[in-house]
Every structure is written in C-alpha cells, then in structure tokens.
Amino acid sequence: MRSLALLLAMTATAFAQPRGFNYDESKVPEYTLPDPLVMQDGTKVTTAEQWRTKRRPELVKLFGEHVYGRAPAGRLAKVEVERASALDGLADRYQVRLFVKEDAPPIDLLVYLPAKAPKPVPVFLGLNFRGNHTVHADPEIRITESWVPNDNGAKNHRATEAGRGVRSSRWPVESLLERGFGLATIYCGDIDPDTHDGFQNGVHAAVDGKDADRGPDSWGSIAAWAWGLSRALDYFETNEAIDHHRVAVVGHSRLGKTALWAGAADERFAMVVSNNSGCGGAALSRRAFGETVKRINTSFPHWFCDQFKTYNDNESACPVDQHQLVALAAPRPCYVASATGDQWADPNGEFLSGLHASPVYELLGKQGLTADTQPAPDTPVQDGHVAYHLRTGKHDITEYDWQRYMDFFEKRVPKK
Ligand code: GTR
C-alpha cells in the first residue's frame, strides 16, 4: 500500500500534470479581474503619488491578509562570514551564517562573486530546494544541517555528500560570473522547512516562539521564505563588494512564488524574476487553469495563510489576483517566464498577469509588457519593463532562462 502511494506520488511529480484539472483554454471560466488602479473604496488611482502612498500599500496589505500572511518586521541578530577564493580563482566565495536570533539555528547564505570584476557587483539572489551544496560541485560548500527532501519527495532526510552538485544544471554559476554577476543562494529549508509542521520550526518558531497564537493572516512558508530573502539583502548592505542597489530576486516554481512576494514586499530588490511560478505565483487564480487554489491549499496547507483557504473554489471572492502581485514590482523590471511543458502552472495565465500589471507601469512612466498575446515559444519579449518568455521544455529553470534574465538585467537595471 505504502509503495503504491509512493509510486503515485512519484508519477505525479514526473508528469507534473495531474488529471482532473482544466487544461483547455475554451473551458476557462468567465472572470473579472480586480483593477490594480482602483482602491478598495472605489477611488480611481490616476497619479504616481497616489499609487505610491495609497494603492501600493493597500495591495501589499491585502496580499498579506488574504494570500501569503503578514510577516513581522525583521533584522539579523548576528552574522558570521567566511571568505575564500573558489572555482580555480574565478570566484570569491562567501559562506555567511545568518542568525535571526542569537540562539536560532543558522541560515546559510552562499555567495559567489566574480573575482576579477570591478566591485561592487550586481547579484542574483534565489532560494534552492535541496541545500546549497546541490547547486555546484565545489567541495567546500557547507552541507546544510536542516532536513532536506529526497528523490521520493520525503522531507526528513539529512543532506550528504551524495547531493553535491546534483542541481547544478539549475545554477549556471560560471555563466553568471562570466557576465559579471554574483550569485547568492540559501536553502529554503534553512529558513522554514517545506512541511506542514504546525510552524514549530524555522523562523516562525525563532521569531514568534513555538506554539504562538496564529490567526487567519499569520505568515505561511512562502512569506517566511520571502522574509529570509530580505534578511540576505540586509547582509548585502554590509558587504562592500556587493552592489546592494542592484540585486535581482529570482526563483523557480514555489520559490518563484516566493521571489514575487519578496520583491513586492521589499522594494529594495532592483528586479524580480518569476520562473514557472504558477498558481499562487504569476498565474491568475481566477482562470483555474491547471493547478487551482483549492488544490494548492490542500497539497501544501503551510504555504499560504489560512484566509487563502476560504477562496478554494471561490477565487473571485478574493480581493486580489496575481497580476496585482506583478504590479507590485513596478516600476522595477519584472520577468515572468513559463515553459511549454508546464501546463500545470498555466503559462498563458502567467503571461496575462504581466499584461494586466502593465497599466501600473504605464502610470509610473514605464512601458509594461509590449506584447498583447502570448508570444511563440523561445521568443522573449523584453522591450518594456515587464518581460516574458515561453521556453520550450519542461517545468525547470535552465541556462536558457538565466541567460535571458541576465540580458534583461543588463538592459533595465541602471548603474547608480
Ligand atoms: C508542485 C506545485 C506547484 C509548484 C511545484 C514546485 O507540486 O503544485 O505549485 O510549486 O510543486 O514548487 O516544484
């Protein structure tokens, strides 16, 4: 019985397109999107000032209360830094331990900076799924002490040497260094374990205390991961080799949802990248195409706040939809990327989010997305401040995706 359940779980992961969900554009229900430029009280937002002082804060609050949960203010209690030359002299490697409380478990931040580039350098920052040591074969990367998932999806494993470099295809470190970028990453499970543990571990326990009272708008795991990304940025502000005004926050899948929310909540990020983020990320919830709100809340009850569960099969009751999350990146550049083989994440719904976020960019004097229908595969649209591409292939983040993110960064994130 157990092995049958395991087999089914593995099949679902391998094909990532569970049956019983809608993948047919003609069956998308009719819906009306909430207007990013209309306040809850009906006032139309017509100036950049109104957006900045009224509507933007209102939307951040709504996403906190209805989708991700509200995170507390945060700061680092202690930081320990180890610096060394790495990758045959190509990189300066920093292994930084971030402590959100003096006695909290460490959050390990791994940073590679191009050794030869003039400092300070711009950086891409993103979370990883299985431990920092999985992103590169570098033998010196610390192995996380937090629980990690194994290949069968079980989440209570200790990381070992066997995992070193196994996810390097997702982290083209040398390509980034070659183009003058630094790369920084944290294992998401160092911030908050990706299991429904009743918020007894990770930063929820460290900051709120174990068994803290939780309300419908208390922070879930995505909000905790996003909060952790902001703590990495706090550290960057103290490292003179890093251009903390030019940090792009990037993430794939659940960690792409996280990148979008991190960039929305923390305007210090200079650019936001959503790679195949799907439901609860860039995809419009009201389309209910592929993964639905109900399904995601059922499979991953710890990701969002409890209030979000009240929108199961009732997406239109939610005061926000995900195009407004993209709009919260404005006027900063935001890249939304999809993959042809990732219908579960609703590629067209991801595109439409970028499109319907664009009026906010325009109000702020920038062009948003410059296509009004989804472009053909492998034809990036990068002429405005919202970029989009549909990569041929499966749910993944690849060298192709990273090269496009670097292209866009070079075009759109000015040197200060
Ligand atoms: C899936 C989930 C998606 C996406 C993905 C991932 O199982 O349904 O929303 O987040 O996991 O993070 O790899």
Side-chain angles (χ1 to χ4, degrees), residues 11-23 289-291 295 339-347 393-395:
T11 312
T13 316
F15 297 110
Q17 209 145 292
R19 270 182 269 185
F21 294 86
N22 180 41
Y23 301 102
F289 185 106
E291 186 171 30
R295 165 65 186 240
T340 54
D342 189 21
Q343 295 302 309
W344 184 236
D346 186 13
K394 62 176 184 166
H395 181 71

Side-chain angles (χ1 to χ4, degrees), residues 1 22 33 56 78 87 105 119 133 144 157-158 174 181 224 251 271 274 284 298 310 312 326 336 355 367 369 377:
M1 214 39 218
N22 180 41
L33 291 177
R56 187 179 197 287
K78 185 171 74 175
L87 313 183
K119 305 292 179 312
H133 68 299
T144 179
H157 287 257
R158 287 285 176 211
E174 282 80 0
F181 291 100
M271 172 169 141
S274 151
L284 293 172
T298 309
T310 66
N312 289 352
V326 175
V336 176
L355 184 67
Q367 255 191 313
L369 195 52

Side-chain angles (χ1 to χ4, degrees), residues 119-187:
K119 305 292 179 312
V121 291
V123 164
F124 279 85
L125 166 69
L127 301 178
N128 67 73
F129 282 78
R130 289 177 168 222
N132 294 347
H133 68 299
T134 65
V135 311
H136 197 283
D138 179 351
E140 300 301 325
I141 303 174
R142 258 188 213 138
I143 296 187
T144 179
E145 288 149 31
S146 309
W147 298 113
V148 293
N150 72 357
D151 285 336
N152 299 329
K155 303 228 164 107
N156 53 352
H157 287 257
R158 287 285 176 211
T160 66
E161 275 300 328
R164 198 173 287 286
V166 296
R167 280 289 187 270
S168 57
S169 72
R170 287 185 169 179
W171 300 93
V173 176
E174 282 80 0
S175 304
L176 282 144
L177 297 172
E178 227 165 80
R179 289 182 69 168
F181 291 100
L183 185 270
T185 187
I186 296 173
Y187 168 47

Side-chain angles (χ1 to χ4, degrees), residues 129 253-254 257 291 296 300 303 344 395:
F129 282 78
S253 204
R254 70 198 65 183
K257 310 180 207 299
E291 186 171 30
I296 205 165
F300 307 103
W303 283 2
W344 184 236
H395 181 71

